[in-house]
Amino acid sequence: MTRSTAAPNANPSTPLKLAKLFAVLGLALALPLAAQEPQTPDPSNGKVIIENGHTPEEQAPDVFPKDPITNDERAAVTVASTDLNLHLIPSDQRLEAHAILTLRNTSDAPLKRIPIQITSTLRWQSITARNKPVAFTQSPITTDADHTGYAQEAVLTPERPLKPGDTLTLSVFYSGQIPASTSRLELIGTPAERAAETDWDSIAATSDDSATALRGYGEVLWYPCAAPTALIGEGNQLFASIARERQRNLSATMRLALTVVYAGDPPDAAIFNGHLQSLTKTPDDANQLVDETHGVATADFPLAPVGFRTPNLFLTAQHPSKTDSPLLTVVTPVPEAAESYAAAVESLKPLFNDWLAPTPTTPLLLLEHPGAPFEDASFVAAHLSPSAEPDNIAPELVRPLTHSFFADPAPSAIWLDQGMPEFMSLLWTERSKGRDAAIAVLQQNAAPLALLEPDFAATPTATGTPLTQASSDVLLHFKSAAVLWQLRDILGDDTLRRALTTYRQTLATSKSPSNDPAAFEKSLEHTASTDLSWFFNDWVYNDRGLPDLTITQVTPRTILPKTGRLGGYLIAIDIRNDGFAAAEVPVTVRSGSLSASNRLRIPGHATASTRIVFEGTPDTLQVNDGTVPELRSSIHQMQIKLDSTK
């Protein structure tokens, strides 16, 4: 996919046009004036201005750096910490911000230039380091990490190259408008109406409902970031880039001081990274009519780890609706909708009480929003229908509700944090529709997993990603859930329940996440009094691909009847594993409604045998029942041939 790198039109709601460059390539942008501290809101007119001497009309034109920035340079920069003073002026769809950024060079080479990006409808105003202005260029770059299809990139030159591992603290000012944009999707042929349902991020011009919504990297760059360019039309490039950003945010921190300048009804609350906080309102004149009221509303979200997410911000217009469920908080202009969702959550309560705990760590938060659904841990923004049936709603709430009960923020345990919701969803499917339905979902999930996992036998030089380092949704959701389901089969329901409850209690009482990647394994082994290192080494700590099983030999031998015992067959079964990951699978002999099973562990690149006594005439053999994902097929069946001469 090829796209022009010219500057986008200032209004992203119109078609993108080639913009005229007002400066010669290679000229550095003049040093901006020294940054000033954000001004205190002036209650006389309800306006908040963060300026550094430039007005939009006086801003220097876009200037590209002399030598194009490479994606390697962009990938080398990590935003380790952000202290953001953000002012929103919804009536103008405007944002004005001052950020203190701590950037780290995570590459192996010194950085002579440092690129940082914001959405293309914003402008960099000034950048300072150590109280000195820093020379920088700013120009648009093509990337679908933003809904406009472009980002405004500042390229600055520090006083001295930034050494590997070193940090640089910057004070940056930026401002502009963030209206809705469907540009990037329309560029690849998406109908405008469909694009608007997907790309709905904007600063809303009114305080109605919950229209102000900014989802972050991959949707709209409302905060400074540093990342390689990524395009939707280039394979999995954009989604891999989003996953990479979430992984980097595990060690990043962010503080948000939010000010909203309102006219008329003030916003009620803000939701930042899934956390709801009421806004403190300060009207200009308490005696004014509501429609004529102007003022500011503020909230302060303290410095905290960003976590495995891209930072997101929502404004709400309504107070949370009261429900009968303590597991749920609902923000909607239609209170009746809350009742159905409360009933759905209550129907899920027995499942979570059985497997995790009697109460959640935090309630599930639902926000009415007309666009495509958005989830961030235990926060969901989606259309909440008052006519929806609780039974139909419940399956969609299992995953976010799991995050209310279970969250492990340790970087090495993100596989568990992200896999547990998928595992609980499988348990709900089994409980509500039966085990066959749950196994069918496991098999569906195994297909993309088999495509992603390397075939080491065919390509010995291939490399995989351990779950403890994974960022891909396929690994974090599907493989992690498969790991937990296998542990369930290996340990049994009761043992795994006890282990999960104990581990969850440890997380709830811990002041800081454990940095030990083996913490979960140790907890399971302590509860079950068994060694699980063989399993975790192949499936969690290392990526040894998937098993690849084959039934190599089946030998049935007749068992003659004896006093007190029926006759039957002793069936010897040999199974080869051509994969590198060990597998413990059920081996089942059937005849009509009769069956007999053993569990068999087959190490990687090895053969294992089992013997099954079957009272009757065996008909079919099945190895694996779809619960252990394999490189090819995860269910192996064979007709058992009997020798009539024996």
Side-chain angles (χ1 to χ4, degrees):
M1 178 177 175
T2 303
R3 192 184 300 171
S4 167
T5 58
N9 188 288
N11 181 358
S13 64
T14 60
L16 295 176
K17 301 177 181 178
L18 294 178
K20 186 182 293 182
L21 295 178
F22 298 106
V24 178
L25 294 178
L27 293 180
L29 189 64
L31 286 177
L33 300 179
Q36 300 175 359
E37 289 300 315
Q39 298 180 11
T40 302
D42 181 358
S44 64
N45 56 19
K47 293 183 179 179
V48 180
I49 302 296
I50 298 178
E51 292 292 354
N52 67 328
H54 290 300
T55 65
E57 293 75 23
E58 295 170 341
Q59 289 173 1
D62 288 336
V63 177
F64 289 86
K66 183 181 296 185
D67 297 316
I69 287 288
T70 67
N71 272 343
D72 286 342
E73 289 176 288
R74 295 183 179 109
V77 181
T78 295
V79 181
S81 180
T82 303
D83 189 336
L84 183 59
N85 190 338
L86 183 68
H87 295 82
L88 300 181
I89 305 96
S91 60
D92 295 330
Q93 295 186 286
R94 185 170 177 80
L95 171 156
E96 296 174 345
H98 173 217
I100 305 295
L101 306 176
T102 300
L103 308 180
R104 177 174 287 110
N105 179 0
T106 52
S107 72
D108 297 327
L111 286 177
K112 297 180 180 179
R113 302 182 298 177
I114 296 178
I116 49 177
Q117 303 108 29
I118 49 178
T119 181
S120 64
T121 57
L122 301 177
R123 299 284 297 188
W124 297 100
Q125 301 292 334
S126 71
I127 302 176
T128 61
R130 302 181 182 91
N131 297 319
K132 295 180 181 179
V134 178
F136 68 95
T137 63
Q138 66 172 314
S139 54
I141 60 170
T142 305
T143 179
D144 286 330
D146 186 79
H147 61 176
T148 64
Y150 295 87
Q152 188 73 0
E153 182 173 67
V155 179
L156 58 104
T157 305
E159 291 181 347
R160 61 185 66 88
L162 188 63
K163 296 178 181 179
D166 282 1
T167 60
L168 175 66
T169 299
L170 301 176
S171 173
V172 304
F173 287 81
Y174 61 96
S175 64
Q177 293 178 305
I178 304 186
S181 175
T182 57
S183 297
R184 68 171 175 179
L185 294 181
E186 290 191 68
L187 278 170
I188 60 173
T190 305
E193 183 177 347
R194 179 71 179 273
E197 293 176 357
T198 303
D199 278 1
W200 38 255
D201 304 85
S202 72
I203 299 173
T206 69
S207 61
D208 295 341
D209 300 330
S210 306
T212 292
L214 305 170
R215 284 178 289 181
Y217 186 91
E219 305 296 347
V220 57
L221 306 181
W222 60 276
Y223 54 88
C225 64
T229 58
L231 299 179
I232 292 175
E234 298 291 341
N236 196 43
Q237 191 180 89
L238 177 61
F239 302 105
S241 184
I242 294 171
R244 175 179 175 273
E245 283 303 296
R246 292 185 301 178
Q247 186 71 31
R248 295 205 301 178
N249 284 338
L250 281 170
S251 57
T253 58
M254 194 169 188
R255 171 184 174 267
L256 175 64
L258 176 66
T259 300
V260 182
V261 182
Y262 66 85
D265 290 328
D268 181 73
I271 301 172
F272 174 59
N273 289 347
H275 297 285
L276 176 70
Q277 187 178 136
S278 297
L279 291 164
T280 301
K281 294 88 167 177
T282 307
D284 296 345
D285 185 349
N287 296 322
Q288 284 184 337
L289 297 174
V290 173
D291 291 344
E292 300 174 358
T293 299
H294 293 76
V296 295
T298 60
D300 195 339
F301 294 87
L303 187 70
V306 176
F308 191 74
R309 60 162 59 85
T310 57
N312 54 85
L313 175 64
F314 292 75
L315 294 185
T316 73
Q318 293 81 29
H319 294 295
S321 300
K322 292 184 179 180
T323 70
D324 294 332
S325 175
L327 308 180
L328 181 66
T329 298
V330 183
V331 181
T332 173
V334 185
E336 295 79 12
E339 298 175 3
S340 294
Y341 288 83
V345 166
E346 284 298 310
S347 71
L348 296 170
K349 188 176 179 180
L351 174 70
F352 287 91
N353 291 166
D354 285 349
W355 281 91
L356 295 177
T359 57
T361 304
T362 181
L364 173 64
L365 174 59
L366 301 181
L367 172 67
E368 167 61 36
H369 193 282
F374 168 75
E375 290 187 18
D376 178 7
S378 58
F379 165 59
V380 179
H383 173 57
L384 308 179
S385 172
S387 60
E389 292 293 331
D391 289 347
N392 296 331
I393 300 170
E396 302 302 320
L397 299 182
V398 175
R399 292 175 182 85
L401 189 59
T402 302
H403 285 292
S404 295
F405 281 84
F406 186 97
D408 193 337
S412 60
I414 292 304
W415 72 271
L416 184 58
D417 180 82
Q418 298 293 305
M420 187 61 68
E422 194 70 32
F423 175 66
M424 295 300 292
S425 180
L426 288 167
L427 291 176
W428 174 252
T429 299
E430 181 185 60
R431 182 169 293 198
S432 58
K433 297 181 180 179
R435 183 176 174 85
D436 288 347
I439 291 178
V441 175
L442 277 167
Q443 289 187 274
Q444 291 173 4
N445 296 346
L449 181 58
L451 291 174
L452 182 65
E453 287 281 42
D455 183 351
F456 293 107
T459 313
T461 58
T463 57
T465 304
L467 272 183
T468 51
Q469 301 172 22
S471 59
S472 160
D473 282 343
V474 172
L475 292 177
L476 290 176
H477 294 171
F478 297 161
K479 186 173 184 178
S480 297
V483 163
L484 290 167
W485 193 279
Q486 289 178 77
L487 287 169
R488 178 196 182 195
D489 284 347
I490 292 168
L491 299 176
D493 282 11
D494 290 342
T495 301
L496 184 57
R497 281 193 187 106
R498 293 199 314 273
L500 288 174
T501 300
T502 301
Y503 188 72
R504 189 255 190 196
Q505 290 171 346
T506 301
L507 293 175
T509 57
S510 176
K511 294 182 179 179
S512 60
S514 171
N515 291 321
D516 181 5
F520 182 58
E521 179 199 345
K522 292 175 182 177
S523 180
L524 292 180
E525 289 177 336
H526 178 75
T527 303
S529 299
T530 188
D531 177 25
L532 294 170
S533 60
W534 66 271
F535 180 80
F536 276 82
N537 284 334
D538 282 9
W539 286 87
V540 179
Y541 308 142
N542 302 284
D543 187 357
R544 297 195 169 123
L546 297 176
D548 188 8
L549 305 182
T550 303
I551 303 171
T552 57
Q553 188 169 345
V554 179
T555 306
R557 296 184 181 277
T558 304
I559 300 175
L560 297 176
K562 291 185 177 181
T563 304
R565 190 180 71 181
L566 297 175
Y569 286 83
L570 175 65
I571 305 159
I573 303 151
D574 295 338
I575 302 169
R576 186 178 71 246
N577 183 359
D578 290 320
F580 286 76
E584 184 174 304
V585 297
V587 179
T588 304
V589 175
R590 290 192 177 91
S591 178
S593 60
L594 299 177
S595 66
S597 295
N598 282 346
R599 292 192 63 82
L600 178 65
R601 185 186 307 172
I602 312 104
H605 263 259
T607 298
S609 302
T610 187
R611 304 289 185 268
I612 295 178
V613 175
F614 193 81
E615 294 183 349
T617 303
D619 181 41
T620 59
L621 169 68
Q622 178 175 295
V623 174
N624 198 356
D625 59 355
T627 56
V628 178
E630 294 188 46
L631 192 61
R632 301 176 215 290
S633 173
S634 56
I635 296 179
H636 308 268
Q637 291 184 329
M638 173 184 287
Q639 291 293 123
I640 298 176
K641 296 180 180 179
L642 302 177
D643 188 344
S644 59
T645 63
K646 296 184 179 180

